[in-house]
Amino acid sequence: MASLPIHASADAVLDALDPEQRRVAASPLGPMCVLAGAGTGKTRAITHRIAYGVLSGAFQPQRVLAVTFTARAAGEMRTRLRGLGVGGVQARTFHAAALRQLHYFWPSVVGGAAPEVMPSKIGVVTQSARRHGLRSSSSELRDIAAEIEWAKVSMITPDSYAARVAAERREPPGMDATAMARVFRGYEELKSERGLIDFEDVLLLMVGILAEHPEVARAIRGQYRHFVVDEYQDVSRLQQRLLDLWLGERADLCVVGDPAQTIYSFTGASPQFLLNFGQRFPGAQTVELVRNYRSSPQVVRLANLVLSTPGGGRRSGAVVLQAQGEDGPAPELRDYADDVSEAHEVAAAIAALVKGGEQPSRIAVLYRTNGQSEALETALAEHDIAYLVRGGERFFSRSEVRSAILLLRGAARSDDGSVPLGTLTRDVLSSAGLTAAPPRAGAVRAEWESLEALARVAEDLVAVSPQARMRDLVAELDERAAAAHAPTVDGVTLASLHAAKGLEWDTVFIVGCSDGLIPITMAETPQEIEEERRLLYVGVTRARRRLVLTWAGARTEGARASRRPSRFLDSAAPVLGERARSTAKSARKVSAKTRGRAAPSVCRVCGRGLSSAKELTVGRCTTCPAGYDEALFEALREWRLQTARAAGVPAYVVLTDASLTAVAETLPRSDRDLLGIRGIGQAKLESYGADLLAIVSPFSPSE
């Protein structure tokens, strides 16, 4: 590759990066895959990569398309690029980029204006369901809408739906696959009758236009020469197809993602495109970002333990984080009698932190299901603590925000520059209700927090652009509103673990850390269980300094305490203490005593009782993830194959798959350990014991 012309400003861009981030930024041309662990500065790396590419002359800013998954992330990327002195780069979501292209090319390839995009599927889904004799609840209708979305991003049509869900063993929501296919078909027909499209249609239509109209493909490929895709572990089959058509035969693509943060597979997202990037683009550079700048070493250690296997390996293709921050308090695990007690004690703990000087906006309470927020909202209100529920009403849709922006727009016309922007903004907002001191609580406090957030946007704008005036502030707010990039409101954040992805706080409480919630009861397959583990990992890595995990023994006051800590905390016992283990200590002792005489009757991962012969042999539930080294398992399989061939018997006669798996997972060190595995008796011990111990030995951890 020819050397790039280097400008002084380009060098300065690289100077601000660590060695791994610098590798990402200093090679702006050609394919690159960045495996970025949580808190490792991936947005910093890719924005500096773009800035370096522009400032070094490697490419023009208008030829770059940076794609991400949320309007907020796209807005943050544009803000960072402006701070680096680079403008003109298109940073958009997949849908926003495709919609812009659709509106531009539709008149020439189809004629007339592009169809209107429905803001929601629910209305049309409801009518389709009723046409087919279904009277579903609002929650069931939402599930049907989500299923249609999954089908479309997976490029499944109504005609192919039943066969595909059968092949993937997917269960449609509340009906059989044939009925779901009929509702899906009816939904598509109703849209067509009304000349409407949904958000997935935006992508599907652009895919069709690009595939069928070479002139459109040439135009887009001529406009955009370089692509950056953030959160690449979350791309769907449909999004990948669109990206392929944007690229054509070129390979100027940089993708960034973290397999350990794959938590949206139920929507059609797949990490395989990230994990297989090197196969698709031979010669692509792969860079791992492992230096965690967000969290304390204590939080980082816990995060690494959550993703560790019983044998000390790594799950989900995750990188091992290396903490770079200052020490913080040790993560805590707290247990309570019931959910109400848990909510009130968490609120009391937050009140104490706020009284001690911690800002509410730097505190978050995370949970698995949205239904858990009600008790928390009640408890926080009783302690007069302001809060906001992430995923509630959009910031720029609030009446006080809309009124305030109208006032600021009016002030922009008369701004003569005589009053500093920050002061002028607060003066204008005072007429909308902004006071020097906040109200105590309630709706009035919530409105005050919205106005205060607008004032802070003005102050942040001046810090970046000292010459900014009111018209610049209005333009910034308009851009933020279009991108749904809300400013920070000073209240405790309540959010689901899914909604928390991409965010961070100084202090994080994760409530409901019990089996049945984390992992949720509905997660049954090994893949679903592993995604639940990754979800907890996402929650843990949101914490900068303080992390508190809580769980309750019962749902309601006075009920029998039947819950146990989440099985995912077993591996975290070195940090959280023995109370974190979901398996009772007595059960572990019994298991240890009987090793070599009887196989364990409880799962070594989750502690549940085992029932089937396969489960008893392997020593874990079929729904719990395997925890063995792949290289070891393949070595055992090869040994079994050769041994079976030499004896002229089927492979299972030597050892069954279940017994072989048990050997790989338990890592036996002695004849006594081998005898503790079902399927290995004295005869097989004498025939194969020495071979098995020799194969396992290199993979066993040293004492």
Side-chain angles (χ1 to χ4, degrees):
M1 181 183 298
S3 61
L4 300 172
I6 306 296
H7 301 271
S9 53
D11 278 336
V13 167
L14 297 181
D15 289 342
L17 306 177
D18 69 29
E20 293 80 24
Q21 294 169 344
R22 188 182 179 101
R23 280 187 60 198
V24 175
S27 303
L29 299 178
M32 176 176 287
C33 178
V34 183
L35 299 176
T40 57
K42 66 178 179 64
T43 304
R44 181 180 182 85
I46 59 177
T47 52
H48 280 67
R49 185 179 195 270
I50 294 170
Y52 181 79
V54 172
L55 296 173
S56 66
F59 43 71
Q60 299 172 301
Q62 64 271 24
R63 297 286 186 263
V64 182
L65 179 58
V67 188
T68 187
F69 280 81
T70 67
R72 178 185 176 276
E76 182 181 353
M77 193 175 292
R78 289 192 295 270
T79 299
R80 292 200 187 195
L81 287 169
R82 284 200 301 269
L84 292 169
V86 175
V89 172
Q90 295 296 313
R92 301 179 181 274
T93 65
F94 270 102
H95 285 90
L99 184 60
R100 190 168 185 247
Q101 295 169 10
L102 189 69
H103 280 297
Y104 183 84
F105 290 105
W106 188 274
S108 61
V109 299
V110 180
E116 179 184 354
V117 181
M118 299 187 306
S120 170
K121 293 182 176 68
I122 292 298
V124 180
V125 166
T126 301
Q127 292 183 42
S128 178
R130 288 175 178 171
R131 276 190 179 183
H132 293 85
L134 299 176
R135 293 293 185 269
S136 303
S137 67
S138 58
S139 59
E140 290 170 333
L141 291 169
R142 288 195 296 271
D143 288 343
I144 293 171
E147 184 70 3
I148 291 173
E149 180 177 338
W150 168 82
K152 298 184 73 166
V153 301
S154 303
M155 303 185 75
I156 298 170
T157 65
D159 291 337
S160 62
Y161 175 83
R164 281 288 299 275
V165 296
E168 299 189 18
R169 299 181 179 179
R170 185 181 178 94
E171 188 172 337
M175 67 189 82
D176 61 41
T178 302
M180 182 64 219
R182 286 198 298 267
V183 175
F184 184 7
R185 184 177 294 104
Y187 168 83
E188 294 294 322
E189 291 170 351
L190 282 166
K191 282 198 299 97
S192 181
E193 291 170 9
R194 299 172 187 183
L196 300 172
I197 59 176
D198 59 27
F199 285 104
E200 291 70 52
D201 289 329
V202 173
L203 305 186
L204 285 164
L205 287 168
M206 274 311 304
V207 164
I209 289 172
L210 287 165
E212 296 172 13
H213 296 271
E215 71 281 8
V216 174
R218 283 194 297 271
I220 291 177
R221 294 166 191 167
Q223 172 64 44
Y224 300 115
R225 307 288 301 179
H226 312 277
F227 294 84
V228 176
V229 183
D230 194 12
E231 303 289 358
Y232 193 58
Q233 78 278 352
D234 291 334
V235 296
S236 66
R237 183 183 174 196
L238 176 56
Q239 289 164 331
Q240 182 62 51
R241 177 59 177 153
L242 179 61
L243 179 61
D244 292 341
L245 290 166
W246 282 343
L247 276 168
E249 299 300 317
R250 296 198 304 272
D252 272 329
L253 171 64
C254 174
V255 300
V256 188
D258 182 6
Q261 296 189 68
T262 304
I263 58 174
Y264 296 112
S265 63
F266 60 91
T267 66
S270 172
Q272 294 308 310
F273 300 113
L274 173 66
L275 297 173
N276 298 332
F277 187 84
Q279 300 175 21
R280 174 96 185 268
F281 296 96
Q285 295 188 67
T286 299
V287 182
E288 291 188 356
L289 301 184
V290 299
R291 303 175 197 240
N292 179 286
Y293 298 97
R294 174 187 301 157
S295 305
S296 69
Q298 289 79 6
V299 172
V300 169
R301 185 188 179 199
L302 180 62
N304 283 332
L305 287 173
V306 166
L307 287 186
S308 65
T309 66
R314 301 293 291 171
R315 304 174 191 265
S316 306
V319 302
V320 179
L321 298 176
Q322 299 175 8
Q324 306 295 305
E326 297 180 356
D327 279 344
E332 298 179 62
L333 177 64
R334 303 175 184 175
D335 60 279
Y336 301 100
D338 51 70
D339 289 350
V340 174
S341 298
E342 181 183 24
H344 280 278
E345 291 299 325
V346 167
I350 292 172
L353 291 172
V354 173
K355 186 177 181 180
E358 188 154 354
Q359 294 182 18
S361 62
R362 296 184 176 182
I363 303 173
V365 185
L366 310 181
Y367 38 79
R368 178 60 181 87
T369 69
N370 290 324
Q372 295 171 263
S373 74
E374 183 177 356
L376 293 162
E377 291 180 55
T378 300
L380 289 169
E382 290 177 359
H383 284 82
D384 289 332
I385 299 172
Y387 65 87
L388 64 143
V389 181
R390 188 161 185 86
E393 184 184 17
R394 292 181 178 272
F395 179 84
F396 289 100
S397 298
R398 299 175 188 172
S399 59
E400 70 271 16
V401 173
R402 294 199 304 270
S403 299
I405 291 176
L406 283 175
L407 292 173
L408 294 172
R409 208 179 295 279
R413 291 193 289 268
S414 58
D415 181 11
D416 59 6
S418 60
V419 180
L421 177 59
T423 304
L424 177 60
T425 301
R426 290 188 176 275
D427 288 345
V428 173
L429 294 177
S430 65
S431 63
L434 182 64
T435 57
R440 284 193 65 190
V444 177
R445 173 62 181 262
E447 292 177 0
W448 185 92
E449 294 288 356
S450 297
L451 299 176
E452 176 65 19
L454 292 173
R456 288 198 298 270
V457 171
E459 292 161 359
D460 292 342
L461 182 60
V462 171
V464 176
S465 304
Q467 304 305 314
R469 299 306 312 166
M470 185 63 71
R471 64 180 179 277
D472 302 306
L473 173 61
V474 171
E476 171 73 11
L477 293 173
D478 286 344
E479 185 174 322
R480 282 174 171 262
H485 183 195
T488 301
V489 175
D490 193 23
V492 174
T493 299
L494 301 180
S496 70
L497 289 165
H498 283 100
K501 189 170 179 292
L503 304 174
E504 58 187 74
W505 299 267
D506 286 352
T507 296
V508 170
F509 292 81
I510 304 179
V511 301
C513 293
S514 59
D515 264 10
L517 285 171
I518 305 175
I520 200 155
T521 305
M522 295 176 292
E524 297 179 346
T525 68
Q527 293 78 17
E528 291 168 341
I529 297 291
E530 279 302 285
E531 184 149 328
E532 292 287 305
R533 181 186 295 274
R534 294 193 294 269
L535 192 57
L536 176 61
Y537 173 82
V538 167
V540 168
T541 54
R542 299 311 93 193
R544 298 190 190 104
R545 194 167 178 277
R546 182 180 289 105
L547 176 65
V548 181
L549 310 174
T550 70
W551 68 282
R555 187 174 67 86
T556 57
E557 186 177 2
R560 184 174 67 88
S562 58
R563 292 172 175 166
R564 297 174 297 119
S566 168
R567 71 190 72 171
F568 302 150
L569 300 182
D570 280 0
S571 58
V575 171
L576 299 175
E578 288 298 311
R579 291 166 54 246
R581 296 191 186 275
S582 61
T583 308
K585 195 170 183 180
S586 59
R588 294 194 303 275
K589 285 182 176 178
V590 170
S591 178
K593 288 178 181 179
T594 59
R595 174 176 262 204
R597 287 178 283 142
S601 60
V602 296
C603 175
R604 65 173 163 272
V605 178
C606 71
R608 291 175 175 165
L610 303 176
S611 56
S612 70
K614 182 179 180 180
E615 287 183 339
L616 289 166
T617 300
V618 176
R620 60 171 169 79
C621 305
T622 55
T623 56
C624 286
Y628 57 74
D629 189 299
E630 290 285 350
L632 169 59
F633 191 68
E634 287 304 314
L636 289 168
R637 282 169 55 92
E638 180 63 24
W639 164 83
R640 183 179 66 172
L641 177 63
Q642 297 302 327
T643 303
R645 285 176 176 173
V649 298
Y652 68 83
V653 173
V654 178
L655 281 181
T656 65
D657 285 345
S659 296
L660 210 67
T661 300
V663 172
E665 293 193 12
T666 60
L667 301 175
R669 294 172 178 256
S670 65
D671 289 356
R672 181 179 176 84
D673 292 341
L674 285 170
L675 287 171
I677 297 173
R678 285 177 177 259
I680 300 180
Q682 191 62 42
K684 290 193 175 182
L685 177 67
E686 293 174 359
S687 299
Y688 310 130
D691 289 344
L692 290 170
L693 293 175
I695 296 169
V696 170
S697 178
F699 297 88
S700 298
S702 57
E703 299 284 7

